[in-house]
Amino acid sequence: MDARFTAEQDEIRNALRDLLRRRCGPAESRSAAGTPAGYDPELWTALARQLGLPGLALPEEYGGVGCSVTELALACEETGRVLAATPLLSTAVLVAPLILALGTETQRADLLPRLASGSLTAALAAPPGTALALTADNTGDWSGGGRAGGVQARPAPAAVTGPPRPTTAATAAGGQAAGSTSRTTPPPLGAPAEQRPTEPPADAVPGGPGPAPSEGAAAPAKPPSPTPGPTPVQRTTAPAEPRSGTAVGQTAPAPPLRGSGWRLYGQVDQVLDGHSAGLLLVAAHAGGFARSRTLLFLVPGDAPGLVRTRQTALDATRPQARIQLRDVEAELLGTDDGADVLGALARTGDTAAAVLACEAVGAADRVLEMTVEYVGQREQFGRVIGSFQAVKHRLADVYVQLQAARSAAYFAAWAAVHEGQRAGGLALAQALEALRTAAAEGIQLHGGIGFTWEHEAQRYFKRATADELLFGPPHRLRARAADAARLFARAEVTV
């Protein structure tokens, strides 16, 4: 490994640091985190247009810059220094690599250029620590199998299940005929309107007005009774109003359903940028006991039946949301539902861990820099407190821990590209410990002002704690790495 930066990497770091110094100071960062979107759209546009940051690690054929994860990690080190509130982590680090790895050529050509340009933001609706195999093996029931909750997926009907029905006053007021469905289905992602399937003929639709049976013909047998099952959850949303231009009593056209579509039902908590993302990548459980599997689905941010609620997060620069899917139509990511989804999630998790480690190193470096500057100015007992030996020792320990974390983070970002080694989890554990230690010492050495909301030290401590809650505490990250390496596996020793 060559630890020296290339000229291109130095240029990316310097240009990004200069832009963030001008556009993302402490006041701007706090203000952006408090907006409904959770970030500053103007800053996000500047990062995308001037530096191409969202597409830094995407191929040029899809509108990206063509760099690697290493450059993206170094860029995130700079965003971590200022605690920039942007959807970079959720869009470029978590979702874009999965679409690139598993998506069809049509899905890549439609989504990746928009993600690279910053015009579309995305979020991964899955528990980060478990789904990305950072704190445990991701082959369990976290996606919705068994009794774990999560999100359930089932294939959607291949065609419209009934003829257009008139909109009556009762249904306009919220009533609905038994056995009928009334859903608004969005068009396929990126598909033009002329490619939508047409409605089948009336005599081919179950329940439609087909030809009358001839005399003496046997009556059709009654369908078997459905198997008893759990009572479906009642919708809590308000009934939909009639469309403008369709008077009560007129027939509204039924929306077509794609034959390859799926329906999702469930809930996911702690979704990064889930309240504002234009696209959701949802991990859901499909199949019964015999063919239980985890699949990824594309859901537009304005899909009918999708409920998104922003949650109060410990770190305001990491906005989170609760995602509820109430029979939401979704598109399968890729063409084969037997793809190695869990393997792709694990690889993305290792890459994300390396990027997060660099981001934490940047934050720790900044808070240590602030603390050293303060102890060189604050006077006590007639001398600056930075001259006391106890203060020097504490800051020296933080510096050594920070440099060790930086070396581990740089190696993880380099190994993810050049050697394929999965060192992201260990690097993230060391970086999170360094950030927590640096922030805690910064609060203590700043004295009374370090405990106030107005000071920046407490924001870095919140970042360290929030990342541990989202992606796993250091001891669980290390335990997962030890299990993956079979470090404590029993083996017979031949003497």
Side-chain angles (χ1 to χ4, degrees), residues 7 49 71 103 112 233 247 260 274 305 315 367 415 436 484 486:
R49 292 182 178 178
E71 285 74 25
L112 291 181
V233 179
S260 60
D315 179 13
V367 73
R436 174 181 280 270
R486 302 181 62 84

Side-chain angles (χ1 to χ4, degrees), residues 119-212:
S119 60
L120 177 66
T121 60
L124 177 63
T130 308
L132 301 176
L134 293 176
T135 58
D137 189 4
N138 63 357
T139 57
D141 294 333
W142 57 269
S143 63
R147 300 179 179 178
V151 180
Q152 302 288 338
R154 59 180 177 84
V160 180
T161 57
R165 63 184 180 90
T167 304
T168 62
T171 56
Q176 188 172 353
S180 64
T181 58
S182 176
R183 300 188 182 98
T184 302
T185 305
L189 294 176
E194 60 269 12
Q195 294 182 3
R196 299 175 180 174
T198 59
E199 186 176 332
D203 57 356
V205 177

Side-chain angles (χ1 to χ4, degrees), residues 404-420:
R406 175 177 277 118
S407 298
Y410 286 174
F411 174 77
W414 175 85
V417 178
H418 295 86
E419 291 190 0

Side-chain angles (χ1 to χ4, degrees), residues 339-382:
D340 187 15
V341 174
L342 298 181
L345 284 170
R347 291 188 292 272
T348 301
D350 183 76
T351 301
V355 173
L356 285 166
C358 289
E359 188 183 66
V361 164
D365 184 65
R366 175 55 186 152
V367 73
L368 177 60
E369 182 181 291
M370 290 191 306
T371 305
V372 171
E373 181 182 0
Y374 178 80
V375 299
Q377 299 173 354
R378 170 68 174 172
E379 292 187 3
Q380 189 70 31
F381 304 110

Side-chain angles (χ1 to χ4, degrees), residues 291-347:
R291 197 163 178 247
S292 175
R293 62 205 186 278
T294 299
L295 302 176
L296 293 176
F297 298 91
L298 299 168
V299 178
D302 57 352
L306 176 64
V307 180
R308 309 192 287 180
T309 307
R310 183 173 180 178
Q311 298 176 300
T312 301
L314 179 62
D315 179 13
T317 61
R318 287 260 201 255
Q320 303 173 25
R322 174 184 291 115
I323 303 299
Q324 294 177 325
L325 301 113
R326 302 171 180 176
D327 201 24
V328 176
E329 186 175 6
E331 179 182 346
L332 177 67
L333 180 65
T335 56
D336 182 14
D337 63 357
D340 187 15
V341 174
L342 298 181
L345 284 170
R347 291 188 292 272

Side-chain angles (χ1 to χ4, degrees), residues 374-428:
Y374 178 80
V375 299
Q377 299 173 354
R378 170 68 174 172
E379 292 187 3
Q380 189 70 31
F381 304 110
R383 53 191 295 190
V384 294
I385 61 175
S387 63
F388 295 126
Q389 190 176 31
V391 175
K392 291 181 180 179
H393 286 175
R394 293 173 70 171
L395 293 178
D397 291 340
V398 173
Y399 178 79
V400 171
Q401 191 172 1
L402 171 60
Q403 294 305 317
R406 175 177 277 118
S407 298
Y410 286 174
F411 174 77
W414 175 85
V417 178
H418 295 86
E419 291 190 0
Q421 299 182 15
R422 297 191 177 182
L426 290 175
L428 179 58

Side-chain angles (χ1 to χ4, degrees), residues 55-311:
L56 193 60
L58 289 177
E60 294 182 7
E61 59 181 306
Y62 297 117
V65 179
C67 294
S68 67
V69 177
T70 306
E71 285 74 25
L72 181 59
L74 294 176
C76 286
E77 182 181 357
E78 299 302 323
T79 62
R81 285 180 58 88
V82 296
L83 300 182
T86 67
L88 180 65
L89 176 62
S90 58
T91 300
V93 180
L94 297 179
V95 174
L98 291 171
I99 296 178
L100 182 63
L102 300 176
T104 64
E105 185 58 35
T106 302
Q107 291 170 340
R108 295 174 186 171
D110 174 44
L111 298 175
L112 291 181
R114 289 192 283 162
L115 292 176
S117 65
S119 60
L120 177 66
T121 60
L124 177 63
T130 308
L132 301 176
L134 293 176
T135 58
D137 189 4
N138 63 357
T139 57
D141 294 333
W142 57 269
S143 63
R147 300 179 179 178
V151 180
Q152 302 288 338
R154 59 180 177 84
V160 180
T161 57
R165 63 184 180 90
T167 304
T168 62
T171 56
Q176 188 172 353
S180 64
T181 58
S182 176
R183 300 188 182 98
T184 302
T185 305
L189 294 176
E194 60 269 12
Q195 294 182 3
R196 299 175 180 174
T198 59
E199 186 176 332
D203 57 356
V205 177
S214 61
E215 262 185 60
K222 292 184 178 181
S225 301
T227 305
T231 303
V233 179
Q234 297 295 327
R235 295 176 181 265
T236 58
T237 54
E241 296 293 336
R243 289 186 179 181
S244 58
T246 303
V248 176
Q250 293 182 352
T251 301
L257 295 177
R258 297 191 306 275
S260 60
W262 292 73
R263 295 281 179 176
L264 305 182
Y265 195 97
Q267 176 176 307
V268 187
D269 295 322
Q270 294 181 315
V271 179
L272 284 176
D273 299 302
H275 67 292
S276 61
L279 175 70
L280 295 178
L281 186 59
V282 183
H285 173 266
F289 179 79
R291 197 163 178 247
S292 175
R293 62 205 186 278
T294 299
L295 302 176
L296 293 176
F297 298 91
L298 299 168
V299 178
D302 57 352
L306 176 64
V307 180
R308 309 192 287 180
T309 307
R310 183 173 180 178
Q311 298 176 300

